[in-house]
Amino acid sequence: MSVQKLAERRADLCHPLIAVPSHDELVEQLFVRDLKQFVNGPLEGVQAELADEEGRSLDKAGSNNGVADLRARMSQHQSFRTWLALKRESQRQLWATVGDSVERQAPQLEALAEIAAPRGSVRTSESFVPPDYILRGDIHLMPGGNAHDDGSLMQGAVMDRGGAVFMLGRNGGMLNDLRGQTAMAHVLTRRPDFTPERILDMGCGIGTSTVPSAQCFPDAEVHGIDVGASILRYAHARAEHLGAPVHFSQQSAERTDFSDASFDLVFSCVLFHETSQAAMFNILAESRRLLRPGGLAVHLEVPLLHDNSDTWVELNGELEAQYNNEPNWRGALTADYMKMMVAAGFGDVMTGYQPTSPAARQGPFRFGAESEGVFRSWFVASGTA
Ligand SMILES: C[S@@+](CC[C@H](N)C(=O)[O-])C[C@H]1O[C@@H](n2cnc3c(N)ncnc32)[C@H](O)[C@@H]1O
């Protein structure tokens, strides 16, 4: 099969709005994906081994005071510095290659986004001011950042195609929807007979996790909020192409314009690590305010909590925060979610790891204290109003 045919087939497997690369663009994107796989796989393994050795040497010298000492030691190694440079450069290249490809297709994508009879909607506001932590740097190094808006939906198109390459296909292939599926698996393992009438996805991005919630509960009225107008316009068109009626609006999850007690299910997927220490609590309090009595909140995060990880994971997290612009990585991975959820007014709080397998929906309750590893389970904190 030719590379071009392969690209077309990927679009068939996904949705028509995703930017389809030309032959050369796909070659470039596959190169970047493979480079990232190499940098974050075998090369990282070598650095982790080196970190083990350095950790033992620090222990022996009686001067191992944690991740800062380890980082200082590692920084003396040329191979560590080169690996770090490769990590950042491969991420930069990802957006460069995806950005060019998306820009070339702008007219076609804008035309495809004209939906004749939409079942959902999108509401943006020119006066909306994104929170500081969004404006401080381009999160994930995506040029312009999440709130970039030129009146089009192109930032969303870049985020969609880039996200699929970035996640290396491990978050549900080109649909990138495994996190949303996992959040819904958690809802159904907690409450097999739950039939929410109104659902809110906070920090929905381009709706990759919102659409699975609409598919899981087809009779519900589903809303998604985010800080970026361009990504929301794209999210709307994407959801329509996927047959999911969703109402998107540009709002901060810290304080929305929805009424008190107006949702049965409020959820978020990997939102907290892109916010701030104060915002995490505000978002939990807001999700509590929005729930009807008996409603359920489900907040999913990357499964690399420091309590459950070694020093290498912690050090790698520091690097991710600094070199990939992840403002609250440390805050989100060291937070006491049980305490915060209880303080926000939730009852029946559960924290732990939810397996990604769709089988988790049918099988016995598999939510538990053990992480099955990145992409095999996600950290979830949930509670009831
Ligand atoms: C890592 S993305 C995840 C997107 C989506 N939930 C998913 O699972 O693919 C985090 C999203 O949260 C959004 N975000 C960050 N802070 C926010 C806030 N205060 N209110 C609403 N959205 C926010 C970002 O713009 C970004 O789209």
Side-chain angles (χ1 to χ4, degrees), residues 33 45 56 89 125 211 221 329 371 374:
R33 186 200 63 183
R56 279 195 296 274
E89 177 56 17
S125 157
V211 169
E221 180 185 306
W329 190 268
S371 168
V374 183

Side-chain angles (χ1 to χ4, degrees), residues 1 21 26 64 134 150 155 217 219 257 262 310 319 327 374 384:
M1 186 185 295
L26 183 60
N64 194 349
I134 293 290
D150 59 3
Q155 192 71 344
F217 298 108
D219 296 328
D257 63 11
S262 52
D310 57 20
L319 305 174
V374 183
T384 57

Side-chain angles (χ1 to χ4, degrees), residues 10-215:
R10 282 178 168 207
D12 286 348
L13 290 173
C14 180
H15 61 84
L17 197 60
I18 198 158
V20 179
S22 67
H23 172 283
D24 289 4
E25 288 162 356
L26 183 60
V27 170
E28 219 173 54
Q29 289 180 15
L30 292 177
F31 168 76
V32 173
R33 186 200 63 183
D34 291 348
L35 176 63
K36 289 182 75 60
Q37 225 147 17
F38 187 52
V39 171
N40 296 320
L43 289 189
E44 183 182 318
V46 171
Q47 293 305 316
E49 275 173 30
L50 190 57
D52 264 358
E53 264 173 47
E54 287 294 359
R56 279 195 296 274
S57 149
L58 282 166
D59 285 343
K60 239 189 200 163
S63 59
N64 194 349
N65 299 312
V67 73
D69 290 341
L70 183 61
R71 184 168 179 177
R73 278 283 185 105
M74 291 297 287
S75 300
Q76 290 168 15
H77 290 277
Q78 177 67 45
S79 71
F80 177 75
R81 297 198 301 273
T82 307
W83 170 72
L84 207 47
L86 270 175
K87 222 168 133 67
R88 186 165 167 108
E89 177 56 17
S90 59
Q91 183 72 355
R92 197 197 59 76
Q93 282 187 17
L94 162 76
W95 298 117
T97 175
V98 166
D100 289 349
S101 172
V102 168
E103 204 176 302
R104 179 182 58 75
Q105 296 166 68
Q108 292 98 308
L109 296 181
E110 292 287 354
L112 276 168
E114 294 290 330
I115 310 290
R119 292 196 298 147
S121 63
V122 61
R123 169 165 64 96
T124 60
S125 157
E126 277 183 16
S127 60
F128 177 78
V129 181
D132 281 2
Y133 44 83
I134 293 290
L135 299 174
R136 219 171 287 142
D138 295 349
I139 293 174
H140 298 157
L141 306 187
M142 182 172 73
N146 293 346
H148 174 74
D149 182 28
D150 59 3
S152 76
L153 45 67
M154 300 309 288
Q155 192 71 344
V158 170
M159 195 187 232
D160 194 5
R161 184 76 204 175
V165 181
F166 175 69
M167 294 303 287
L168 311 170
R170 293 173 298 185
N171 184 41
M174 299 302 283
L175 277 178
N176 243 333
D177 65 351
L178 208 49
R179 280 188 297 263
Q181 304 261 13
T182 305
M184 293 310 113
H186 183 75
V187 171
L188 291 175
T189 47
R190 262 195 88 139
R191 292 206 191 158
D193 301 323
F194 195 36
T195 49
E197 285 173 12
R198 280 188 101 218
I199 301 175
L200 174 63
D201 179 9
M202 295 175 139
C204 64
I206 54 162
T208 44
S209 301
T210 331
V211 169
S213 73
Q215 289 165 338

Side-chain angles (χ1 to χ4, degrees), residues 131 133-134 140 146 159 179 201-205 208-209 225-228 231 251-254 269-271 273-275 283:
Y133 44 83
I134 293 290
H140 298 157
N146 293 346
M159 195 187 232
R179 280 188 297 263
D201 179 9
M202 295 175 139
C204 64
T208 44
S209 301
I225 58 170
D226 204 284
V227 295
I231 60 183
Q251 304 194 53
S252 172
E254 290 188 62
C269 291
V270 290
L271 162 66
H273 75 266
E274 293 197 358
T275 63
I283 292 169

